[in-house]
Each structure stands twice: as structure tokens, then as C-alpha cells.
Amino acid sequence: MRWFGDGRPWISWVATAIVAYSLKWHYSRASVEDLAWVLEPTARAVGWLRGESLVQDPAGWMPVDGSYVIAPACAGVNFLILALTVSVLGFSHRLRSPGQRFGWWFGSLLGAWVLTIGVNTARILAAVELYSLGLGEQAHRLLGIVVYLGALWVLYGALDRLTGPRSRLTVLVPVAYLGMTLGVPLLTGAFRQPGGLYAEHAMMVVLVTLISTVAMIGLRRREKT
């Protein structure tokens, strides 16, 4: 009975798992219209920052010249799921009352959506510039890994400082990220891509994740001294 009576946020964890699964299921079948709740604000932010109008097309949002497309694959829903997961699983246990935990969960969901719009906008802006420089798909994938994983580390660090004391769940970020980017495709069969793209992407993801995790652990140890 300690599990139910010592303040553990098991309801928040279950709710997060349900929402994460529902979002992933919805995303795997969604059209441009279905993802308007995340694609449209992202496209409008990109268009405003680039000083151009983006129009909706069955393939996604694009400028008049069609030089790039913000398609469903660019929606950032996987990042939203990760941001919600890190926020709730990493820190909701620090809140003792059910009301506080409910407020944290709802705020985490809303915050994950807002953060996704901001981070995805930055990633798309950078990706457009990379393509204009003639850099290919590998550079584009590396950019996505660095931006999304970096944003998760910033989120984790910010919430850790906000809720204190210092969390010991540093491993949560790399485990969650690797689970979403590499584990889920293995479970769903999406890893079966022609040309060995999954293996290439997996090596890139593991390398960047390992480097960032070692750097983060080193930084946290230095801050303690």
C-alpha cells in the first residue's frame, strides 16, 4: 500500500503513458489537417520569422515558391511526447499533494506543446538554411538530433533547478530519447527502411546521445564541487 499512500504520482505517470500512446497513435495516421494544432502555429512562426507567407497544401505548409515543405513528419510530435515524459516522470514525484501533481501534469502538457512549437520552429529555420547551403539529408538529420536532444537537456536542467533538490534521474533524458527514436521503430517495424537508413540514423543518434550525456554528467559534477 505504500505505493498508493506515500505521495508517489502514479496517476500522473499512468496519465502520461496514456497520452503519449494516444499522441503516437494519432501521429502515425494523421494528415496535415489532423496536425493543424501543431503544424499551423509552427508554420506561421516560421513564415513570420522568415518574412514570407506560407500556404497550406495537402503535403504540408510551404512558401509560394515551394522551396521547402513543413510536412507532418516535421510536426515534432515525438518531441512533444518526450518533453511531457521528462517533465512528469522526472519531477512530479517531488510534489506531495494531488492538486499540485495535477497542476504540474497539466502545466507539463501545455508547456510541452509550447516548447515544441518554439523548438521545432528553430529547427526548421536552421534546416532551411542548411538546404540553401547545399548540405544534404545527413546534415538535416544531425541537426534534428542535436536540436531536439539539446532542448530536452535544457528542459531537464531548468525543471531540476526549479523544483530542487538536484535530481539523480539524469539517465531519464537519454533513455527516453533513445527509446523514442530507436526503440519505437524497432517495436513497430518502422526500422525496415531501404538502404540501411535506420542503422545509419541509429549510429548517429547513439553517438550524439552518448556525447551529450557524458558532457551533462561532467557538468553536473563540476557544479557540485
Side-chain angles (χ1 to χ4, degrees), residues 16-102:
T16 299
I18 292 173
V19 170
Y21 178 82
S22 300
L23 282 172
K24 189 64 177 176
W25 183 89
H26 170 72
Y27 182 42
S28 67
R29 295 160 173 78
S31 64
V32 174
E33 291 78 12
D34 296 330
L35 293 171
W37 56 276
V38 65
L39 276 180
E40 183 171 352
T42 300
R44 295 194 181 281
V46 170
W48 179 72
L49 290 170
R50 286 182 56 84
E52 57 189 8
S53 297
L54 272 62
V55 295
Q56 185 178 346
D57 182 87
W61 288 78
M62 64 184 70
V64 177
D65 62 6
S67 56
Y68 62 92
V69 180
I70 304 177
C74 307
V77 174
N78 287 339
F79 175 78
L80 190 155
I81 294 171
L82 286 170
L84 174 64
T85 300
V86 168
S87 299
V88 176
L89 270 64
F91 303 99
S92 61
H93 64 281
R94 296 181 174 182
L95 306 170
R96 294 305 174 189
S97 73
Q100 288 177 323
R101 290 194 290 269
F102 174 78

Side-chain angles (χ1 to χ4, degrees), residues 25-183:
W25 183 89
H26 170 72
Y27 182 42
S28 67
R29 295 160 173 78
S31 64
V32 174
E33 291 78 12
D34 296 330
L35 293 171
W37 56 276
V38 65
L39 276 180
E40 183 171 352
T42 300
R44 295 194 181 281
V46 170
W48 179 72
L49 290 170
R50 286 182 56 84
E52 57 189 8
S53 297
L54 272 62
V55 295
Q56 185 178 346
D57 182 87
W61 288 78
M62 64 184 70
V64 177
D65 62 6
S67 56
Y68 62 92
V69 180
I70 304 177
C74 307
V77 174
N78 287 339
F79 175 78
L80 190 155
I81 294 171
L82 286 170
L84 174 64
T85 300
V86 168
S87 299
V88 176
L89 270 64
F91 303 99
S92 61
H93 64 281
R94 296 181 174 182
L95 306 170
R96 294 305 174 189
S97 73
Q100 288 177 323
R101 290 194 290 269
F102 174 78
W104 183 267
W105 187 89
F106 185 79
S108 296
L109 181 60
L110 179 60
W113 177 76
V114 173
L115 183 63
T116 298
I117 301 301
V119 171
N120 210 23
T121 296
R123 183 193 65 81
I124 292 171
L125 289 171
V128 172
E129 293 302 317
L130 286 182
Y131 278 127
S132 69
L133 295 174
L135 299 179
E137 189 62 30
Q138 287 184 333
H140 179 84
R141 288 201 301 270
L142 179 60
L143 171 69
I145 297 168
V146 171
V147 169
Y148 285 143
L149 187 55
L152 284 177
W153 279 121
V154 171
L155 173 65
Y156 179 87
L159 295 181
D160 193 24
R161 291 181 181 276
L162 176 65
T163 58
R166 189 64 59 88
S167 173
R168 297 179 180 179
L169 292 174
T170 308
V171 71
L172 176 62
V173 172
V175 168
Y177 187 77
L178 291 174
M180 175 63 75
T181 56
L182 302 183

